Amino acid sequence: MKKKLAILLSGRGSNFEAIARAIEAGKLNAEIAVVISNRPGARGLDRAKELGLEAVCLPSRGVAREDYDARLVDELKRHNPDVICLAGFMRLLTPVMIEAFRGRILNIHPSLLPAFPGLDAQRQALEHGVRFSGCTVHFVDEGLDSGPIIVQAAVPVKDGDTVESLSERILEAEHAAYPRAIALVLSGAYRTEGRRVVRLKEK
Amino acid sequence: MKKKLAILLSGRGSNFEAIARAIEAGKLNAEIAVVISNRPGARGLDRAKELGLEAVCLPSRGVAREDYDARLVDELKRHNPDVICLAGFMRLLTPVMIEAFRGRILNIHPSLLPAFPGLDAQRQALEHGVRFSGCTVHFVDEGLDSGPIIVQAAVPVKDGDTVESLSERILEAEHAAYPRAIALVLSGAYRTEGRRVVRLKEK
């Protein structure tokens, strides 16, 4: 039986599409059990429907964070996902979610964490004047973009870069990194030493 | 006339040697006017003498920081350096030094700043579980490893890495990055926009 993914998004969900493409291309052995958006108009939701996937809108506006997360947990449990992928899900998770799926919630962030957590990471990187940025797939814990790192990819920052051009370069790296990180977590071929995620040697 | 470098170090000064080699190989058009150590036994001082360079020991033990920096400024001014390179100089500079040579003091740090400033950057990186680290050459300002970034190089962190193996890989990157950063600063072919050091296009 294939391992099951749940995808949470709030917008276009380009990382969701990259994951779907990786599955389609046979690079990621899994299936997407459900795509959930907290925003009714999210383009990613339409895309999920086009792909014939189960697409659920669970609006978050006006709902207290813990209450929302309790509903999310209920919805997710119906689909029994092995891994939950945040793909531009613009909401901090509470312990209600994190404890229900500890070690199985992944997020992707457009910087080489721990540099530039939080919003506008690409702009932060540009304004700081770094010569390399990138993306980070990490386990989600109670902090902001702070959980153990699974995969990172580095990309150069170029002299003429704008927020847009840098974001585009990082996004391309994200689309390759996220399926790779999911595959590692689904394989179980790693162990965690403190914050370090150490891949086990192939036999 | 060749541009002049002053090197400040406290230990073996492997970056000093890398700079000297880059000059020798014709990759860096400059000369080392003086090598100064705050520690009498520094191996870099012996190496400077072996290379026929002016080597000055200015012991810092027991000297108040501002007083030490005033002596350092006096000594440096005798040699009229265009750029001052910190190469494992284990002392925070005070405004006395920084104001005397603003925009002309460079440091190299074994991480992709702003991640892991301060001591034991390689150990910090390993314990944080990052998949990439590297080195940063930056202008020195009043903060800790906080000045505008000139050059960075990224290196992978491998699963089996120890502090030693990671440090060695980063050091190799440092030896290439430092001469490159010095050459850029000596050429003057950059402008600073906020914290960003933007290289000017070659004509």
Side-chain angles (χ1 to χ4, degrees):
Chain A
M1 248 180 50
K2 281 191 191 297
K3 301 268 187 170
K4 289 179 178 172
L5 307 180
I7 314 267
L8 306 191
L9 50 76
S10 304
R12 62 178 170 162
S14 81
N15 274 301
F16 149 54
E17 288 206 57
I19 293 165
R21 277 197 306 272
I23 292 172
E24 179 67 30
K27 291 179 189 166
L28 178 58
N29 186 22
E31 62 184 359
I32 297 175
V34 65
V35 176
I36 302 176
S37 169
N38 69 316
R39 287 192 187 147
R43 223 166 74 196
L45 221 42
D46 295 333
R47 193 70 191 114
K49 288 175 199 159
E50 284 169 25
L51 292 171
L53 299 172
E54 185 152 355
V56 175
C57 182
L58 216 59
S60 60
R61 177 168 288 202
V63 185
R65 283 177 41 193
E66 275 80 7
D67 294 344
Y68 186 76
D69 279 9
R71 291 183 203 179
L72 204 49
V73 169
D74 283 347
E75 180 64 36
L76 285 165
K77 284 194 168 165
R78 287 185 44 224
H79 301 279
N80 197 27
D82 295 286
V83 163
I84 297 162
C85 304
L86 309 188
F89 186 64
M90 300 304 283
R91 227 179 139 80
L92 282 176
L93 299 182
T94 67
V96 173
M97 258 294 286
I98 292 166
E99 283 163 17
F101 300 103
R102 184 167 300 277
R104 294 193 285 148
I105 309 176
L106 272 51
N107 184 39
I108 189 158
H109 183 81
S111 77
L112 289 175
L113 290 170
F116 315 124
L119 289 178
D120 276 332
Q122 301 95 335
R123 181 183 301 277
Q124 290 185 57
L126 267 187
E127 289 180 352
H128 197 88
V130 292
R131 312 296 316 180
F132 285 91
S133 191
C135 66
T136 303
V137 185
H138 62 92
F139 288 110
V140 173
D141 65 9
E142 282 78 359
L144 175 65
D145 302 324
S146 66
I149 291 167
I150 305 160
V151 164
Q152 293 186 304
V155 307
V157 179
K158 299 187 178 172
D159 285 316
D161 265 338
T162 59
V163 173
E164 290 68 31
S165 65
L166 177 59
S167 298
E168 198 173 322
R169 194 174 310 120
I170 292 175
L171 196 59
E172 201 169 312
E174 290 178 42
H175 293 169
Y178 214 161
R180 203 150 56 84
I182 295 166
L184 177 65
V185 173
L186 289 179
S187 77
Y190 63 95
R191 64 173 188 279
T192 307
E193 297 174 356
R195 284 189 52 87
R196 283 179 85 174
V197 176
V198 178
R199 288 168 289 199
L200 303 177
K201 286 231 167 58
E202 313 255 338
K203 292 282 160 61
Chain B
M1 246 179 52
K2 281 190 191 298
K3 302 267 185 167
K4 289 178 179 174
L5 306 181
I7 313 266
L8 306 190
L9 50 76
S10 304
R12 63 179 168 160
S14 80
N15 273 301
F16 149 55
E17 289 206 57
I19 293 164
R21 278 197 305 272
I23 292 172
E24 179 67 30
K27 293 179 188 167
L28 177 60
N29 187 21
E31 63 184 0
I32 296 173
V34 63
V35 176
I36 302 176
S37 169
N38 70 316
R39 288 193 186 146
R43 224 166 72 196
L45 222 43
D46 294 333
R47 191 71 190 113
K49 288 174 199 159
E50 284 168 24
L51 292 171
L53 299 171
E54 185 152 355
V56 175
C57 182
L58 215 59
S60 60
R61 176 167 290 206
V63 185
R65 284 176 40 191
E66 276 79 7
D67 294 344
Y68 186 76
D69 279 9
R71 293 184 201 177
L72 203 49
V73 169
D74 283 348
E75 180 64 35
L76 285 166
K77 285 194 168 162
R78 287 185 43 226
H79 301 279
N80 198 28
D82 294 285
V83 163
I84 297 162
C85 304
L86 310 188
F89 186 63
M90 300 304 284
R91 229 177 138 81
L92 281 175
L93 299 182
T94 69
V96 173
M97 259 295 285
I98 292 165
E99 283 162 17
F101 300 104
R102 186 168 297 277
R104 294 193 285 146
I105 310 177
L106 272 51
N107 184 39
I108 190 158
H109 182 81
S111 77
L112 288 176
L113 290 171
F116 316 124
L119 289 177
D120 275 333
Q122 301 95 334
R123 181 182 300 277
Q124 289 185 57
L126 266 188
E127 289 180 353
H128 197 87
V130 292
R131 312 296 316 180
F132 286 90
S133 191
C135 66
T136 302
V137 186
H138 62 92
F139 289 111
V140 173
D141 66 10
E142 283 79 0
L144 176 65
D145 303 323
S146 67
I149 291 166
I150 305 161
V151 164
Q152 292 187 305
V155 308
V157 179
K158 300 186 176 172
D159 284 316
D161 265 338
T162 59
V163 173
E164 291 67 33
S165 64
L166 178 60
S167 299
E168 198 173 321
R169 194 174 311 122
I170 291 175
L171 195 59
E172 200 169 312
E174 290 177 42
H175 293 170
Y178 215 161
R180 204 151 57 83
I182 296 166
L184 176 66
V185 173
L186 289 178
S187 76
Y190 65 95
R191 65 174 188 279
T192 308
E193 298 173 357
R195 284 188 52 87
R196 281 179 86 174
V197 176
V198 177
R199 289 166 288 199
L200 303 178
K201 287 232 166 59
E202 312 255 340
K203 292 279 160 62

